[in-house]
């Protein structure tokens, strides 16, 4: 998988065996995967940490896939999120309804995992307005994945490739705390053996690159837990 960060796919499905199958095949192909078992949980996750693509079941507890898709499309910040609907409803009128509600693609069960992944890749390639391409902003830092430019205030920052991927990962999930293992899997990949302490080294380099003397340190260390991109409110107030 090319690019500065592996695309994140959110699976919204209440059938545990299918979620396991999807996760296995997606991670094998280099995607990051998150999951939600109902529409309400999915909406919360999408709001807090927008994925790069949504795999959405039609029949869900609490909030149906159709209603979830409708709510996503009503929100300007989520209108570019690519959505593939996975469903056992195979009638033509169901497909028409799903697509008219806002889904970008409609796949009926059972399906081939290989064909699904091919369609995921195609949709991500076509999506020029989704979260994967949009500039990311946190506090006074702006990161543009398309041009690989990072600025803080009016100053251009110079980051190495690994530090860029680290910052992009954190900016896609602001304020969330990630363990070293989480960071390793997201930035380096599950198939690459890297010592957990390597994360500490690159975190130090990232801090040095983005924090000038006198500026707020935006990378928070959480003892026994990991790291987060966060702002010390007390420091801001001071």
């Amino acid at each position: 998988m090319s690019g500065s960060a592996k695309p994140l796919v959110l699976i919204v499905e209440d059938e545990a065996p299918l979620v396991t199958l999807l996760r296995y095949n997606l991670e094998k192909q280099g995607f990051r995967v998150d999951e939600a078992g109902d529409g309400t949980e999915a909406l919360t996750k999408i709001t807090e940490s927008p994925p790069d693509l949504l795999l959405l079941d039609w029949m869900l507890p609490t909030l149906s896939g159709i209603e979830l898709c409708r709510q996503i499309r009503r929100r300007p910040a989520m209108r570019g999120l690519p959505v593939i609907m996975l469903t056992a409803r195979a009638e033509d009128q169901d497909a028409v309804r799903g697509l008219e509600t806002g889904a970008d693609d409609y796949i009926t069960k059972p399906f081939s995992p290989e064909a699904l992944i091919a369609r995921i890749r195609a949709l991500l390639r076509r999506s020029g307005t989704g979260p994967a391409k949009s500039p990311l902003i946190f506090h006074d830092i702006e990161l543009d994945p398309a041009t690989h430019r990072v600025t803080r205030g009016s100053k251009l920052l110079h980051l190495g490739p690994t530090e860029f991927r680290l910052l992009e990962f954190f900016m896609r999930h602001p304020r969330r705390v990630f363990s070293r293992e989480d960071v390793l899997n997201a930035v380096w990949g599950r198939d690459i053996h890297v010592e957990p302490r390597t994360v500490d080294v690159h975190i130090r380099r990232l801090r040095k690159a983005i924090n000038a003397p006198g500026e707020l340190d935006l990378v928070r260390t959480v003892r026994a837990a990991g790291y987060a991109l966060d702002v010390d409110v007390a420091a801001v107030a001071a």
Side-chain angles (χ1 to χ4, degrees), residues 171-198:
M171 290 185 73
R172 291 194 185 279
H173 311 281
R175 298 184 177 87
R176 285 182 56 184
V177 178
F178 293 94
S179 67
R180 292 186 183 93
E181 184 178 2
D182 291 334
V183 175
L184 283 173
N185 289 335
V187 177
W188 280 266
R190 294 177 181 272
D191 298 327
I192 299 177
H193 178 70
V194 180
E195 290 294 329
R197 291 294 176 183
T198 301

Side-chain angles (χ1 to χ4, degrees), residues 100-128:
E100 287 184 344
T101 301
D104 298 286
D105 204 347
Y106 188 97
I107 299 176
T108 56
K109 304 173 184 177
F111 54 85
S112 159
E114 292 78 12
L116 172 62
I117 288 172
R119 290 164 84 163
I120 289 173
R121 292 186 191 279
L123 184 52
L124 286 173
R125 283 196 302 269
R126 294 198 306 267
S127 177

Side-chain angles (χ1 to χ4, degrees), residues 5-236:
K6 296 180 178 182
L8 174 64
V9 176
L10 175 61
I11 302 170
V12 188
E13 171 64 64
D14 61 337
E15 296 181 21
L18 180 55
V19 173
T20 300
L21 175 68
L22 289 169
R23 176 181 283 278
Y24 171 78
N25 282 278
L26 286 166
E27 290 181 341
K28 188 170 67 171
Q29 293 298 318
F31 293 91
R32 293 181 291 123
V33 177
D34 197 3
E35 59 189 70
D38 60 65
T40 302
E41 180 188 6
L43 190 59
T44 299
K45 289 196 171 189
I46 293 166
T47 302
E48 292 179 349
S49 302
D52 295 305
L53 184 137
L54 190 65
L55 285 181
L56 179 61
D57 185 24
W58 182 309
M59 304 298 292
L60 291 168
T62 70
L63 188 68
S64 72
I66 284 288
E67 181 57 31
L68 175 59
C69 192
R70 185 177 290 116
Q71 291 195 27
I72 288 171
R73 295 312 185 214
R74 286 175 184 159
R75 302 185 182 192
M78 298 182 187
R79 285 176 187 163
L81 174 63
V83 176
I84 296 179
M85 189 160 279
L86 299 176
T87 177
R89 303 173 70 117
E91 298 295 326
D92 288 344
Q93 60 266 32
D94 292 326
V96 170
R97 184 182 173 196
L99 294 170
E100 287 184 344
T101 301
D104 298 286
D105 204 347
Y106 188 97
I107 299 176
T108 56
K109 304 173 184 177
F111 54 85
S112 159
E114 292 78 12
L116 172 62
I117 288 172
R119 290 164 84 163
I120 289 173
R121 292 186 191 279
L123 184 52
L124 286 173
R125 283 196 302 269
R126 294 198 306 267
S127 177
T129 57
K133 297 295 183 182
S134 302
L136 304 170
I137 299 174
F138 180 81
H139 192 55
D140 57 350
I141 290 184
E142 180 171 342
L143 181 149
D144 189 337
T147 63
H148 275 233
R149 288 173 60 89
V150 182
T151 56
R152 183 165 187 177
S154 59
K155 182 176 64 177
L156 181 66
L157 303 181
H158 301 283
L159 278 67
T162 302
E163 286 70 48
F164 183 93
R165 293 197 302 272
L166 266 175
L167 181 61
E168 182 178 11
F169 172 67
F170 282 124
M171 290 185 73
R172 291 194 185 279
H173 311 281
R175 298 184 177 87
R176 285 182 56 184
V177 178
F178 293 94
S179 67
R180 292 186 183 93
E181 184 178 2
D182 291 334
V183 175
L184 283 173
N185 289 335
V187 177
W188 280 266
R190 294 177 181 272
D191 298 327
I192 299 177
H193 178 70
V194 180
E195 290 294 329
R197 291 294 176 183
T198 301
V199 174
D200 300 340
V201 173
H202 286 282
I203 289 290
R204 286 197 295 272
R205 291 179 182 174
L206 177 61
R207 278 193 167 115
K208 184 176 180 180
I210 68 174
N211 299 322
E215 289 183 328
L216 287 173
D217 183 0
L218 300 181
V219 182
R220 180 164 63 97
T221 300
V222 182
R223 183 169 299 186
Y227 298 101
L229 190 68
D230 204 351
V231 175
D232 186 336
V233 177
V236 174

